[in-house]
C-alpha cells in the first residue's frame, strides 16, 4: 500500500517564517494586549486555519521569570510524519496524509463521517461481533479496497501490532506540558504517547486508561502522567489494532511545551495536577481526568492562565540550580523565590518531584453508587450489550437501571452468526424493555426468521431505522411483519439479501414513509421498484444497483420523488430520456457514477455521458460526487468544475487521454472554492503532484491509494 502526500503548506510556511514572540512582561501584572491575543488564538484554534493563519505556528509566548530570565511557551503543530512502510493499521492509513499542520475539520464536537468508497462493489462483512446500544451510524460503514487489503480474513498479524504507530516531528524541541490530539472519527484509538530523547530512546508520556468515549469528534489532551526532564520534538502515537469498522482518523496534533523545565511550587503537586486545578476555574468538565480539553470553548485556557500568573504557580528548574550554587545566599533566596521550600536542598526537592510524578495516585476517585441515576444512565448508554446484561446482577439499583427503556432506543447486533445467541438476545428484549426502540441494526447476523418475527411483534412497532444488510436468511416472513406494524419506518437496508423473492418485495409497497432505501444486490426488478417509489414519495436516498438506472425507474423518480438527495447510477444504462428525467431532481446532494460496461467504440455513448456531466453542472446543491471506472475528457472535467458547492470528489480508476498530464485535474481545485476532499484510487497520481497540490491548495485534503 502506498500513501501519498506527506507535506503541507502549513509546515512549509511555518518553517521559513520568523516565529512570532509575545511577551507577558511581569507574570504578576494584569493581562496585556498580547495576552488577549493569545487567549483569542487558543480559544479559536480548533476552527479552520488556512493561508495567513498557518504562519502563526509555531507560536511562542515569552514569560518573564524573576529579574534575570524568561520561559518560552511554544505552541506548534506537526511538521513531518513518519509511518512504518510495512504497517497494516487502517487508522494510520487514514491519519497519515493529513496530520501535518493545523486542523482542517471545522465542527469539533459533532459527528464526522469518512468517505464511503463505492459501497455496492466493495461492501463486505467483518467477522468481529458488534453488540451495542451505541449511536446509529448515519452512513454505511464501508470497507474500501485499502482496508480490505489490510484486513486478512478478519485476522491481524504480529507485524500489524508491532507497527501500529506513527512518528510525528515538530519544529522545535520543548519540555512537553500538553499533547492535544484532534480526533475526528472514532475517537479513543490512540493508546500511548511516547517522546524521543537526544539518544533516540523512546520514553512513555502517557498510556491509555479505560474510559468511555462518545463517538463525536473532539480535542483530546490526556494528562501526561510520565513527564520527562528532557526536551523533544519527536512524538510517537500508538494506535489500537483497528478493523475496517473501528479505525480512527486524526486531523492534527498540537504540542505545547516550554523552553525550560518548569515545576509546581507545591511540593507534592505535579504540573499536570496543577493544570487540572487551574482548569476547574474555566471548565465544568474538570472532573474528567482523562481529557484536559473536554470543554472546547475553554481549551488551553489553563495554560494561558498559568503563563499570566507564572510566579504564583511555578518555578524553573534553573532557578533551583542557581539557588544551590549560591550557598552563601541560600537561605535568603529560598525565602524570596521558593517560600514553601525553606531549608530544602535541591536533592530533596527532586525526590519530592519524583514521588509526585505518578499521576495515577492523585487521580480523583468516585464510587459509582454515589452518582445520581441520570448520570449512571448516561454511562450505561456507552456499554456493549454483554456488559449491560451483567450490570443488572450487581444489585437491585442496577437491575432497575438496566431495565430503563430509554437505554434501548438503539440496538446494534451486527455479525452475530450463532442462531442460539440471537434467540437468547431476542428473548431478552421484552416489549417493556424496548418500549422506545427506534433503530435496529442486524447487519451480517444469522437468526431464525420466526424468532425475528416474534421480536418485531413485541418490540418493532416504533422502528424508524432498520438494517438487515447481508442477512443470509429468508426474509419474506419478516418483510410481511414489517409492512404490517412498522408504519413509521424511514430507513430500510436490505443490501446483499439474496433470499427475497417477488412476493417479499411486494410487501414493501405497503410502507409509505420510507426516506432511505438500499436494495443493492437483491434481485429486485424495475417494475417492483417503481411501485415502491409510487408509495414512498418522501424518498431522499436510493440505492438499488443497476436497476435504478433503467429508464422506467428514473421516469418514476421524476414523477414521485423529486426531493431525492442521494442516488447511485450505472452510466452505460442511461438514455437521453432518463437524463432529462433526472433534471427534475434538483435537490441532489450526492451522486455515485459507475462506468463499468461503458464501450469506447460507441460514439453515441459519449454524447450521453456529456449530457450527464452537463446535468451535474446544473445541480446547485451537489456536494459529493463518486466516479469509478471512467475515461474522462477535459470537457467533462470542466463541466464538473462548475459544481460550485462541491465538497467531496472521489475518483476510482479514472483514466485520462495519453496526451493529458495528471495536472488536468487542477481545474477542479481552481474552480470549486468549497472543495474539502479529493480522493484518487488507482488513478496513477504521483506523490510529487499530490505534494504540489497540497502546497497550492492547502484547504483541500488530497488522498491517494495505488494498489496496482
Amino acid at each position: 500500500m502506498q500513501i501519498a502526500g506527506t507535506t503541507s503548506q502549513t509546515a512549509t510556511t511555518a518553517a521559513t517564517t520568523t516565529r512570532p514572540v509575545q511577551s507577558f512582561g511581569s507574570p504578576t501584572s494584569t493581562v496585556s494586549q498580547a495576552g488577549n491575543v493569545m487567549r483569542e488564538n487558543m480559544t479559536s484554534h480548533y476552527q479552520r486555519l488556512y493561508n495567513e493563519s498557518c504562519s502563526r505556528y509555531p507560536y511562542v509566548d515569552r514569560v518573564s521569570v524573576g529579574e534575570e530570565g524568561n520561559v518560552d511557551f511554544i505552541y506548534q503543530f506537526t511538521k513531518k510524519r513518519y509511518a512504518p512502510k510495512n504497517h497494516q493499521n487502517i487508522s494510520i492509513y487514514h491519519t497519515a496524509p493529513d496530520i501535518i499542520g493545523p486542523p482542517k475539520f471545522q465542527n469539533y464536537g459533532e459527528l464526522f463521517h469518512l468517505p464511503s468508497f463505492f459501497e455496492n462493489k466493495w461492501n463486505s462483512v467483518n467477522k468481529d461481533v458488534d453488540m451495542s446500544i451505541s449511536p446509529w451510524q448515519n452512513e454505511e460503514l464501508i470497507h474500501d479496497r485499502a482496508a480490505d487489503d489490510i484486513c486478512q480474513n478478519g485476522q491481524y498479524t504480529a507485524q500489524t501490532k508491532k507497527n501500529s504507530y506513527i512518528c510525528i516531528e515538530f519544529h522545535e524541541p520543548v519540555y512537553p506540558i500538553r499533547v492535544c490530539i484532534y480526533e475526528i472519527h472514532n475517537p479513543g484509538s490512540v493508546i500511548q504517547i511516547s517522546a524521543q530523547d537526544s539518544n533516540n530512546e523512546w520514553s512513555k508520556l502517557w498510556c491509555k486508561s479505560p474510559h468511555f468515549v462518545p463517538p463525536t469528534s473532539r480535542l483530546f489532551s490526556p494528562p501526561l502522567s510520565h513527564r520527562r526532564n528532557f526536551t523533544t520534538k519527536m512524538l510517537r502515537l500508538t494506535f489500537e489494532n483497528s478493523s475496517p469498522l473501528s479505525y480512527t482518523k486524526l486531523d492534527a496534533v498540537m504540542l505545547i511545551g516550554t523552553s525550560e523545565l518548569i515545576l509546581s511550587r507545591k511540593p507534592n503537586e505535579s504540573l499536570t495536577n496543577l493544570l487540572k486545578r487551574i482548569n476547574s476555574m474555566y471548565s465544568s468538565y474538570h472532573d474528567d481526568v482523562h481529557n484536559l480539553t473536554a470543554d472546547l470553548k475553554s481549551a488551553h485556557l489553563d495554560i494561558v492562565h498559568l503563563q499570566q500568573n507564572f510566579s504564583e504557580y511555578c518555578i524553573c528548574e534553573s532557578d533551583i540550580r542557581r539557588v544551590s550554587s549560591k550557598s552563601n545566599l541560600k537561605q535568603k533566596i529560598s525565602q524570596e523565590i521558593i517560600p514553601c521550600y525553606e531549608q530544602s536542598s535541591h536533592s530533596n526537592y527532586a525526590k519530592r518531584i519524583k514521588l509526585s510524578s505518578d499521576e495515577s495516585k492523585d487521580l480523583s476517585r468516585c464510587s459509582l453508587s454515589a452518582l445520581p441515576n441520570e448520570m449512571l444512565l448516561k454511562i450505561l448508554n456507552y456499554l456493549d450489550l454483554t456488559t449491560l446484561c451483567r450490570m443488572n446482577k450487581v444489585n437491585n439499583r442496577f437491575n432497575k437501571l438496566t431495565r430503563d427503556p430509554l437505554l434501548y432506543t438503539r440496538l446494534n447486533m451486527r455479525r452475530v452468526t450463532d442462531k442460539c445467541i440471537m434467540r437468547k438476545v431476542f428473548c431478552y428484549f421484552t416489549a417493556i424493555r424496548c418500549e422506545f426502540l427506534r433503530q435496529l441494526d442486524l447487519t451480517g447476523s444469522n437468526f431464525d426468521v420466526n424468532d425475528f418475527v416474534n421480536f418485531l411483534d413485541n418490540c418493532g412497532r416504533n422502528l424508524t431505522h432498520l438494517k438487515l444488510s447481508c442477512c443470509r436468511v429468508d426474509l419474506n416472513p419478516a418483510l410481511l411483519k414489517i409492512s404490517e406494524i412498522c408504519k413509521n419506518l424511514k430507513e430500510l437496508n436490505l443490501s446483499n439479501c439474496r433470499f427475497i423473492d417477488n412476493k417479499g418485495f411486494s410487501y414493501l409497497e405497503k410502507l409509505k414513509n420510507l426516506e432511505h432505501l438500499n436494495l443493492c444486490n437483491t434481485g429486485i426488478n424495475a417494475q417492483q421498484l417503481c411501485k415502491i417509489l409510487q408509495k414512498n414519495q418522501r424518498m431522499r436516498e436510493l440505492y438499488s444497483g443497476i436497476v435504478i438506472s433503467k429508464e422506467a425507474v428514473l421516469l418514476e423518480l421524476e414523477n414521485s420523488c423529486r426531493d431525492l438527495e442521494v442516488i447511485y447510477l450505472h452510466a452505460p444504462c442511461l438514455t437521453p430520456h432518463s437524463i432529462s428525467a433526472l433534471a427534475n431532481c434538483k435537490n441532489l446532494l450526492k451522486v455515485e457514477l459507475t462506468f463499468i460496461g461503458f464501450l469506447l467504440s460507441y460514439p453515441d455513448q459519449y454524447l450521453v455521458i456529456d449530457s450527464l456531466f452537463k446535468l451535474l453542472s446544473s445541480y446547485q446543491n451537489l456536494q459529493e460526487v463518486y466516479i469509478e471506472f471512467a475515461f474522462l475528457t477535459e470537457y467533462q472535467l470542466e463541466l464538473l468544475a462548475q459544481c460550485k458547492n462541491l465538497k467531496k470528489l472521489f475518483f476510482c480508476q479514472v483514466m485520462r487521454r495519453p496526451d493529458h498530464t495528471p495536472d488536468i485535474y487542477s481545474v477542479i481545485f481552481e474552480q470549486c472554492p468549497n472543495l474539502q476532499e479529493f480522493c484518487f484510487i488507482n488513478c496513477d497520481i504521483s506523490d510529487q503532484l499530490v505534494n504540489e497540490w497540497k502546497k497550492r491548495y492547502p484547504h483541500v485534503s488530497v488522498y491517494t491509494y495505488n494498489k496496482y
Side-chain angles (χ1 to χ4, degrees):
M1 183 174 66
Q2 176 183 358
I3 299 176
T6 59
T7 63
S8 71
Q9 178 70 21
T10 303
T12 304
T13 305
T16 57
T17 56
T18 303
R19 298 182 305 162
V21 178
Q22 302 290 346
S23 175
F24 282 105
S26 173
T28 58
S29 63
T30 57
V31 180
S32 64
Q33 182 178 1
N36 289 330
V37 172
M38 183 63 194
R39 179 184 294 268
E40 180 182 354
N41 287 341
M42 288 303 100
T43 55
S44 62
H45 69 87
Y46 55 86
Q47 298 176 1
R48 208 178 191 111
L49 299 173
Y50 293 144
N51 302 329
E52 70 275 8
S53 299
C54 294
S55 62
R56 296 181 182 179
Y57 296 94
Y59 192 95
V60 181
D61 272 289
R62 182 158 294 168
V63 176
S64 298
V65 179
E67 298 180 356
E68 301 181 15
N70 54 66
V71 176
D72 288 342
F73 282 74
I74 303 171
Y75 301 75
Q76 48 188 330
F77 288 104
T78 305
K79 177 183 178 182
K80 297 179 181 179
R81 60 98 173 122
Y82 308 92
K85 292 183 178 180
N86 56 344
H87 79 82
Q88 294 184 337
N89 188 288
I90 306 174
S91 295
I92 297 175
Y93 166 76
H94 286 286
T95 291
D98 289 290
I99 199 174
I100 295 174
K104 298 87 182 169
F105 185 60
Q106 300 182 67
N107 303 317
Y108 279 88
E110 299 180 4
L111 284 171
F112 172 86
H113 298 287
L114 285 166
S116 58
F117 296 102
F118 313 111
E119 161 190 0
N120 306 324
K121 290 291 178 183
W122 299 342
N123 190 23
S124 60
V125 179
N126 188 278
K127 295 182 180 180
D128 297 331
V129 174
D130 176 13
M131 298 176 65
S132 66
I133 53 175
S134 61
W136 185 260
Q137 298 292 338
N138 293 325
E139 292 186 13
E140 293 297 311
L141 291 169
I142 307 305
H143 303 192
D144 54 53
R145 287 193 173 182
D148 287 337
D149 288 341
I150 294 173
C151 182
Q152 301 173 355
N153 298 321
Q155 302 296 323
Y156 293 88
T157 64
Q159 190 69 23
T160 305
K161 299 179 181 179
K162 180 180 178 181
N163 295 320
S164 296
Y165 66 85
I166 184 171
C167 297
I168 51 179
E169 180 181 349
F170 296 86
H171 298 268
E172 297 192 25
V174 295
Y175 292 96
I177 60 176
R178 175 160 299 167
V179 178
C180 185
I181 304 172
Y182 292 69
E183 300 177 302
I184 56 178
H185 184 70
N186 282 339
S189 292
V190 177
I191 59 175
Q192 183 171 305
I193 302 174
S194 303
Q196 188 181 59
D197 60 19
S198 57
N199 296 321
N200 296 328
E201 298 291 334
W202 291 97
S203 299
K204 183 167 56 178
L205 294 179
W206 169 84
C207 59
K208 184 176 182 179
S209 301
H211 60 284
F212 299 110
V213 180
T216 55
S217 55
R218 66 170 183 169
L219 273 63
F220 176 53
S221 303
L224 303 183
S225 54
H226 304 272
R227 280 204 79 206
R228 303 299 176 181
N229 59 352
F230 58 81
T231 60
T232 185
K233 65 175 183 177
M234 288 287 295
L235 297 181
R236 172 186 285 176
L237 306 183
T238 304
F239 295 87
E240 283 185 318
N241 292 328
S242 57
S243 74
L245 296 180
S246 64
Y247 58 87
T248 193
K249 178 177 174 61
L250 308 185
D251 192 26
V253 177
M254 173 184 272
L255 173 62
I256 305 176
T258 55
S259 57
E260 292 196 42
L261 183 63
I262 61 175
L263 307 167
S264 173
R265 284 187 173 274
K266 290 189 175 183
N268 294 320
E269 183 177 49
S270 66
L271 187 62
T272 297
N273 280 347
L274 169 61
L275 291 173
K276 289 180 184 178
R277 179 157 57 91
I278 300 174
N279 211 336
S280 65
M281 298 188 298
Y282 292 98
S283 171
S284 59
Y285 295 92
H286 62 273
D287 287 334
D288 184 358
V289 298
H290 303 289
N291 188 6
L292 299 181
T293 51
D295 184 356
L296 297 176
K297 295 181 180 179
S298 302
H300 308 313
L301 288 186
D302 51 349
I303 297 180
V304 175
H305 180 85
L306 176 64
Q307 293 174 226
Q308 296 167 356
N309 303 275
F310 186 84
S311 63
E312 177 184 348
Y313 292 107
C314 289
I315 187 170
C316 294
E317 188 187 44
S318 59
D319 287 339
I320 300 175
R321 291 196 299 267
R322 188 161 53 250
V323 170
S324 300
S325 65
K326 299 179 180 179
S327 57
N328 58 331
L329 298 176
K330 179 177 180 181
Q331 182 67 26
K332 180 179 178 181
I333 297 178
S334 296
Q335 293 175 351
E336 292 179 357
I337 300 181
I338 328 173
C340 58
Y341 296 109
E342 292 184 8
Q343 300 179 353
S344 296
S345 67
H346 173 60
S347 60
N348 289 334
Y349 181 81
K351 290 179 180 178
R352 282 194 292 268
I353 294 300
K354 184 177 181 180
L355 288 174
S356 64
S357 66
D358 188 1
E359 294 291 324
S360 61
K361 296 181 180 179
D362 296 327
L363 295 180
S364 58
R365 301 179 183 274
C366 179
S367 171
L368 280 177
S369 60
L371 298 177
N373 288 346
E374 293 77 9
M375 187 173 294
L376 285 175
L377 285 174
K378 289 184 178 180
I379 295 174
L380 294 176
N381 200 45
Y382 291 109
L383 296 181
D384 61 274
L385 286 180
T386 302
T387 306
L388 195 61
C389 293
R390 290 172 180 167
M391 290 294 292
N392 66 9
K393 300 179 181 179
V394 173
N395 54 36
N396 289 334
R397 184 187 181 195
F398 277 102
N399 184 276
K400 293 179 180 179
L401 285 173
T402 56
R403 294 176 183 271
D404 192 314
L406 290 176
L407 284 175
Y408 306 102
T409 59
R410 303 175 292 260
L411 289 180
N412 302 321
M413 295 179 285
R414 296 183 281 255
R415 300 172 300 283
V416 183
T417 56
D418 191 320
K419 286 187 177 182
C420 294
I421 293 178
M422 287 300 297
R423 177 175 288 116
K424 293 178 181 179
V425 170
F426 286 144
C427 292
Y428 176 79
F429 293 105
T430 63
I432 297 177
R433 183 176 268 114
C434 291
E435 178 183 357
F436 302 118
L437 182 62
R438 299 290 187 272
Q439 301 171 348
L440 177 64
D441 188 351
L442 300 179
T443 297
S445 292
N446 188 24
F447 48 82
D448 187 289
V449 70
N450 293 321
D451 293 337
F452 181 45
V453 169
N454 292 333
F455 173 79
L456 287 173
D457 203 26
N458 291 325
C459 309
R461 299 183 184 277
N462 294 316
L463 278 177
T464 57
H465 298 70
L466 177 60
K467 293 185 178 181
L468 299 171
S469 175
C470 302
C471 291
R472 301 182 181 278
V473 297
D474 179 8
L475 289 177
N476 283 357
L479 293 180
L480 174 60
K481 178 60 66 174
I482 290 169
S483 67
E484 293 174 348
I485 67 172
C486 300
K487 300 301 182 182
N488 298 317
L489 197 64
K490 295 181 179 180
E491 177 178 354
L492 180 60
N493 189 332
L494 298 173
S495 61
N496 297 296
C497 294
R498 302 179 183 275
F499 298 97
I500 305 175
D501 57 22
N502 293 340
K503 187 175 182 180
F505 287 122
S506 67
Y507 297 141
L508 300 182
E509 298 173 23
K510 299 180 181 179
L511 300 175
K512 298 181 180 180
N513 294 303
L514 287 176
E515 297 178 6
H516 180 128
L517 181 60
N518 192 329
L519 298 173
C520 291
N521 300 321
T522 59
I524 190 172
N525 59 49
Q527 183 179 3
Q528 292 169 325
L529 183 56
C530 287
K531 291 181 179 179
I532 295 172
L533 295 176
Q534 290 172 5
K535 300 292 184 179
N536 294 273
Q537 299 190 8
R538 300 178 184 176
M539 193 70 66
R540 293 187 297 109
E541 298 187 28
L542 182 60
Y543 300 90
S544 60
I546 193 172
V547 68
I548 196 175
S549 301
K550 299 293 184 180
E551 185 172 310
V553 175
L554 294 177
L555 290 173
E556 188 59 51
L557 286 174
E558 177 187 20
N559 296 327
S560 303
C561 305
R562 295 196 175 190
D563 293 330
L564 196 68
E565 296 177 357
V566 179
I567 192 171
Y568 173 90
L569 295 172
H570 192 261
C573 295
L574 298 177
T575 66
H577 287 93
S578 59
I579 292 178
S580 298
L582 277 174
N584 290 312
C585 298
K586 300 183 181 299
N587 295 323
L588 281 175
L589 300 176
K590 175 180 174 182
V591 175
E592 299 189 17
L593 294 172
T594 179
F595 288 78
I596 295 178
F598 179 73
L599 300 179
L600 300 178
S601 58
Y602 286 8
D604 291 345
Q605 284 200 343
Y606 275 112
L607 298 177
V608 172
I609 300 306
D610 284 347
S611 299
L612 176 61
F613 277 86
K614 287 181 182 178
L615 177 63
L616 293 180
S617 66
S618 68
Y619 289 135
Q620 298 301 313
N621 299 321
L622 192 62
Q623 297 180 4
E624 299 182 34
V625 176
Y626 299 70
I627 299 177
E628 64 173 340
F629 301 106
F631 189 100
L632 298 185
T633 65
E634 187 174 2
Y635 174 64
Q636 291 165 354
L637 288 172
E638 290 175 353
L639 289 174
L640 191 59
Q642 295 179 23
C643 301
K644 301 304 180 183
N645 290 314
L646 192 64
K647 294 182 178 180
K648 299 180 181 181
L649 184 59
F650 301 92
F651 285 176
C652 174
Q653 293 190 225
V654 172
M655 298 174 287
R656 62 185 186 278
R657 286 175 47 180
D659 56 334
H660 287 158
T661 65
D663 204 34
I664 189 177
Y665 302 124
S666 295
V667 65
I668 304 292
F669 291 99
E670 294 168 355
Q671 298 187 26
C672 297
N674 296 318
L675 189 66
Q676 297 176 1
E677 298 181 31
F678 202 160
C679 180
F680 297 89
I681 302 177
N682 297 330
C683 294
D684 192 23
I685 304 296
S686 67
D687 292 0
Q688 180 180 1
L689 182 57
V690 170
N691 292 335
E692 290 179 5
W693 282 337
K694 287 198 171 189
K695 292 178 182 178
R696 285 154 54 187
Y697 315 104
H699 60 286
V700 182
S701 297
V702 183
Y703 305 89
T704 62
Y705 170 66
N706 298 314
K707 178 180 178 181
Y708 305 113

